[in-house]
Amino acid sequence: MELQRLSTFINHQPVHVCQTVQKFGGSTKSSGFIDGQYAVCLDQLRPAIHSNSCLVYSFGISDDWSFDDEMHEFGCEVHSFDPSIGIPSQKRNRQHWFHNLGLTTSDASIEPNWTVASYSDIQRNLRHKNRMVSDCAITVTSH
């Protein structure tokens, strides 16, 4: 059984291989490591931008807005989420919103002063249930 699984894995042809990748965001640390940078496949993102349907969710931004800002400049509608930075929800730019909200798998709050919601609830509350999210960046914080 395990050999069959391995054979299937080796011989499986991917449905889609990204032809064009671009890096967005990030800042270089003293060690030379680039923190907060994400590689994004542009193959399906460009058509979404041209049809004005590009939608990006970014969870756990902390103090690094670089990815979110660059995706906005690229032409996407961006929704940034982070309950840990202590700023109120606000519209940051023409198509860029910040939500003082965290992502969770339950309705229970992780920290006493954090508001959290499930991915499904976030999409419903933003009226995005019928929209495809073009890219989703998640930086995980455990508490």
Side-chain angles (χ1 to χ4, degrees):
M1 182 68 163
E2 195 62 27
L3 187 56
Q4 183 180 8
R5 254 186 65 218
L6 181 59
S7 175
T8 301
F9 175 77
I10 291 171
N11 294 316
H12 173 73
Q13 295 298 316
V15 175
H16 176 78
V17 175
C18 187
Q19 300 297 315
T20 309
V21 175
Q22 182 171 326
K23 294 178 181 176
F24 288 89
S27 58
T28 305
K29 302 299 178 190
S30 59
S31 64
F33 173 73
I34 301 175
D35 188 30
Q37 185 177 69
Y38 296 89
V40 176
C41 180
L42 299 182
D43 298 358
Q44 295 171 345
L45 192 65
R46 280 193 179 124
I49 290 169
H50 294 306
S51 67
N52 292 321
S53 64
C54 182
L55 176 62
V56 173
Y57 286 177
S58 178
F59 295 95
I61 57 163
S62 187
D63 61 349
D64 185 359
W65 297 88
S66 61
F67 172 79
D68 307 61
D69 290 342
E70 287 183 25
M71 291 304 294
H72 175 261
E73 290 168 17
F74 202 68
C76 296
E77 175 183 332
V78 177
H79 292 265
S80 308
F81 302 85
D82 197 326
S84 72
I85 59 177
I87 62 173
S89 296
Q90 58 189 272
K91 186 171 183 176
R92 293 193 71 232
N93 215 317
R94 183 179 55 81
Q95 291 280 3
H96 187 183
W97 290 266
F98 170 74
H99 305 275
N100 184 12
L101 182 67
L103 181 64
T104 188
T105 57
S106 70
D107 290 332
S109 184
I110 312 263
E111 291 287 322
N113 298 323
W114 289 7
T115 303
V116 295
S118 69
Y119 186 81
S120 180
D121 285 343
I122 288 170
Q123 280 194 303
R124 184 174 35 78
N125 291 338
L126 294 176
R127 296 187 175 101
H128 292 164
K129 275 293 201 187
N130 296 322
R131 290 188 62 190
M132 178 195 241
V133 175
S134 306
D135 194 67
C136 183
I138 300 176
T139 302
V140 177
T141 304
S142 62
H143 288 272

